[in-house]
Amino acid sequence: MISLGLDLSTQSLSAVLIDSTAGEIIHEHAINFAESFPEFETENGFIRGPKKEFYSYPQLYLKAIDKMMHYLEDLNPKIESISISGHQHASVYLNGSLPKILAELNQSDQLSEALTPAFSRPIVPIWMDNSTTEECLEMDKNLNGSVTELSGSLYCERFTAAQIRKFYKNSPEAYNETQFIHLISSFFASVFAGKNVSIDSSDGAGMNLMNLATSQWDDNLLEACAPNLKAKLPNIEPASNVATKVSNYFVEKYSLNPNCDICLSSGDNPNSLIGCGATDPGTVVISMGTSDTFFGAIGNEPIDTKGIGHIFGNPAGGYMSLICFRNGSLSREAALKSTGLNWQEGEKLISENTPCKESNYLPFIVDEMYPSCAAQINEESLSSFSPTKALVGLIESQILNLRFFAAKHAKNINTIRLTGGASQNTAIAQMIADVFQAKVERIEISNSAALGSAMRAANASGQESWDSLNKNFTAAKSQLLPNSSNASIYEDKLKAYAHLLQTI
Ligand code: ADP
Ligand code: XUL
């Protein structure tokens, strides 16, 4: 079976095509938002608002889908199933015209223009948004109970519930006009399906609205958030379901097979869990994309996160736990920029300076969630550091921070699967092996979210087993062993870093 996984991430839209019968990755392609669509004037795919708001445009994403499908058509790939991955938590707001517009799309239409009248809000608040502390406090008060027990997470600024409540409070008319609220993942599955598609329970868990035990909307959580919310939300279904066949628009415009299945979509982290071959407890994943995340499967019982990180659904069944850090690749890029080096030169500097002789510091260029604190350094102070302290020091401090918080979810980590854009950097991968004193493995490609969604499409539509998909697509292609002579150095550095955290 030929399956397409599409990953709509913060910075780009990526496609991975797999042939699950031959066990081959056929093709990979990515479209960078800021480079390909400069007319939206985004910074790396997003826009900053005045008060810690971060958002993007649904029209930009639709343009990227049209461009990607045009590109893929030339490959004539005979796609039989499609699944989408989307950056988590972001919400898309639509009015009552959506079903008619989707059903009547014509091959001469551009998606972004045809769908414009359907948006009741022209922007998509994204996971980087940190502007909704007030709404989180209000919902906590409204709920009068334990949000973590119900939903798997404390109320979080970036989660969908807080964003919906803020929209309802600030724009009550537009909220009333809104008939459908989707996640990025379910909205783009709906575009491919030509009708509203359910939210999957793995990504649904990132909303503070779903009851983790029942995998259905929780009336108390909905009530604490905004009025008439249930009527605006799609149903919730397991990630393993097929939604429907692809819509005529894609058949006529991009020559897709009318029998092509559109499978339920999911979030980038649940998809990465699949794409990294980490569906069973035991293997943990570090993803170094725009955000850095630490996650792993945890079986059928949610663990008590003690307020650190989240419990989401595992698309292969059971649950996964996750901790997300806002300072990821963009902070590393800022440090690199301050040195005037490119990544190839930066990689050499890191490998020659592991462990770093400079002292560690709090490596937060933007407000961080773990630990919860405001930005601690800026690009100007990085420029006053030596290149080693700026780049190697920052990355080493990020990894120490990761290890400090990862220990709250997982003990005795032996093997780490590393993924995301920065996983291509072998010096960073080796530093992770040394700081964690664990083996670091990488798979064939760095976009495990797109691969994971292609694998989910093959599983849902073609009934391909996880065993065979893992054998063919997620075997480790490289392994880095920890340098044991660095073990005690990093134990000492971790203790010193833990002291630094107490100064916040
Ligand atoms: P997302 O999926 O969140 O949009 P990606 O996983 O595609 O992000 O990662 C993009 C990031 O990867 C870029 O911001 C870039 O800084 C980082 N990156 C790419 N190559 C390297 C490298 N060799 N070393 C470190 N970081 C890198
Ligand atoms: C996870 C999170 C980010 C986004 C973007 O909770 O907010 O990882 O999914 O990648």
Side-chain angles (χ1 to χ4, degrees):
M1 159 165 278
I2 311 283
S3 302
L4 170 65
L6 286 172
D7 175 37
L8 259 160
S9 74
T10 317
Q11 301 191 48
S12 56
L13 171 65
S14 308
V16 170
L17 270 170
I18 63 169
D19 178 341
S20 52
T21 316
E24 277 171 17
I25 295 177
I26 311 170
H27 198 75
E28 265 193 277
H29 185 64
I31 294 171
N32 180 283
F33 298 141
E35 279 165 21
S36 299
F37 307 105
E39 64 275 24
F40 287 93
E41 298 182 349
T42 68
E43 173 193 344
N44 300 303
F46 56 82
I47 302 276
R48 284 174 207 258
K51 292 188 195 141
K52 302 186 179 181
E53 292 103 347
F54 283 81
Y55 55 90
S56 188
Y57 301 109
Q59 275 93 345
L60 187 166
Y61 296 159
L62 288 166
K63 279 199 169 190
I65 295 278
D66 259 329
K67 192 176 166 94
M68 180 64 87
M69 295 316 288
H70 186 66
Y71 170 87
L72 292 176
E73 188 185 16
D74 288 345
L75 302 174
N76 189 19
K78 304 201 172 15
I79 301 164
E80 295 165 272
S81 61
I82 299 179
S83 179
I84 316 264
S85 163
H87 53 85
Q88 294 198 260
H89 320 299
S91 34
V92 188
Y93 299 77
L94 302 128
N95 60 37
S97 70
L98 178 73
K100 191 163 185 292
I101 292 180
L102 283 180
E104 292 175 3
L105 277 175
N106 189 294
Q107 57 170 313
S108 60
D109 291 334
Q110 297 296 322
L111 286 175
S112 64
E113 282 157 26
L115 277 152
T116 295
F119 294 109
S120 53
R121 190 180 186 185
I123 62 162
V124 181
I126 68 165
W127 67 274
M128 297 165 95
D129 192 291
N130 202 17
S131 68
T132 58
T133 306
E134 188 179 295
E135 285 73 18
C136 289
L137 294 172
E138 288 165 357
M139 288 189 294
D140 223 14
K141 203 163 155 215
N142 293 350
L143 184 67
N144 212 6
S146 169
V147 65
T148 315
E149 223 170 277
L150 289 173
S151 76
S153 301
L154 286 169
Y155 276 122
C156 297
E157 280 80 355
R158 69 191 193 285
F159 274 39
T160 325
Q163 297 297 334
I164 292 175
R165 182 167 177 83
K166 183 176 169 186
F167 181 52
Y168 148 70
K169 278 171 50 190
N170 293 357
S171 312
E173 281 176 18
Y175 177 79
N176 281 339
E177 191 213 325
T178 299
Q179 281 200 19
F180 307 101
I181 301 178
H182 272 287
L183 292 177
I184 289 279
S185 56
S186 61
F187 175 63
F188 286 93
S190 306
V191 171
F192 275 89
K195 60 181 184 189
N196 275 306
V197 164
S198 301
I199 287 177
D200 91 289
S201 48
S202 322
D203 208 11
M207 298 173 80
N208 280 144
L209 294 174
M210 191 189 89
N211 186 304
L212 204 59
T214 64
S215 290
Q216 290 304 320
W217 301 124
D218 184 287
D219 287 338
N220 292 323
L221 292 169
L222 296 181
E223 210 171 297
C225 176
N228 306 321
L229 185 50
K230 200 170 199 167
K232 300 179 197 286
L233 293 169
N235 294 333
I236 305 182
E237 286 182 53
S240 53
N241 284 6
V242 172
T244 184
K245 300 288 175 197
V246 71
S247 80
N248 270 341
Y249 173 80
F250 289 92
V251 174
E252 285 164 12
K253 187 163 181 186
Y254 297 115
S255 318
L256 283 190
N257 172 352
N259 275 325
C260 172
D261 277 332
I262 301 303
C263 305
L264 267 255
S265 51
S266 189
D268 56 351
N269 293 298
N271 277 306
S272 263
L273 186 83
I274 303 286
C276 283
T279 42
D280 292 324
T283 306
V284 299
V285 179
I286 291 178
S287 170
M288 295 182 126
T290 314
S291 61
D292 282 354
T293 49
F294 173 88
F295 55 85
I298 50 169
N300 293 326
E301 291 298 325
I303 56 167
D304 179 2
T305 62
K306 303 206 166 36
I308 291 179
H310 319 287
I311 307 295
F312 296 152
N314 171 347
Y319 298 103
M320 64 185 279
S321 75
L322 175 140
I323 307 175
C324 175
F325 303 89
R326 293 177 86 242
N327 285 269
S329 281
L330 297 178
S331 300
R332 287 185 283 278
E333 268 179 36
L336 181 75
K337 193 166 154 226
S338 78
T339 65
L341 303 174
N342 60 30
W343 269 127
Q344 211 182 350
E345 295 158 339
E347 183 165 348
K348 190 161 173 284
L349 188 73
I350 300 164
S351 78
E352 287 168 356
N353 289 282
T354 300
C356 184
K357 298 236 162 29
E358 303 275 1
S359 51
N360 295 105
Y361 50 95
L362 296 167
F364 312 126
I365 297 185
V366 291
D367 299 355
E368 187 44 76
M369 296 184 282
Y370 298 103
S372 169
C373 67
Q376 302 286 314
I377 48 161
N378 54 31
E379 297 189 14
E380 209 181 326
S381 30
L382 284 172
S383 304
S384 69
F385 291 169
S386 70
T388 307
K389 180 159 180 172
L391 183 67
V392 190
L394 179 127
I395 294 175
E396 189 180 72
S397 304
Q398 282 185 323
I399 299 170
L400 287 167
N401 192 60
L402 257 163
R403 182 173 158 190
F404 180 87
F405 284 98
K408 316 272 175 201
H409 278 206
K411 304 271 174 252
N412 308 321
I413 297 170
N414 296 317
T415 307
I416 297 169
R417 286 261 161 137
L418 185 62
T419 184
S423 69
Q424 299 161 67
N425 189 315
T426 299
I428 294 181
Q430 183 62 52
M431 191 182 260
I432 293 176
D434 287 2
V435 171
F436 279 82
Q437 286 295 300
K439 185 168 67 184
V440 168
E441 296 182 338
R442 289 174 289 179
I443 56 164
E444 191 174 331
I445 60 175
S446 63
N447 194 327
S448 52
L451 173 62
S453 53
M455 288 166 64
R456 285 199 312 98
N459 171 265
S461 166
Q463 307 297 307
E464 302 279 357
S465 72
W466 292 122
D467 276 355
S468 107
L469 287 164
N470 278 332
K471 195 165 128 265
N472 288 327
F473 297 108
T474 67
K477 284 286 170 322
S478 75
Q479 281 191 342
L480 295 165
L481 298 177
N483 181 345
S484 56
S485 60
N486 288 335
S488 62
I489 299 174
Y490 278 123
E491 284 306 322
D492 292 345
K493 276 186 171 261
L494 186 66
K495 279 186 203 130
Y497 185 80
H499 280 296
L500 259 183
L501 284 175
Q502 284 169 4
T503 62
I504 294 172

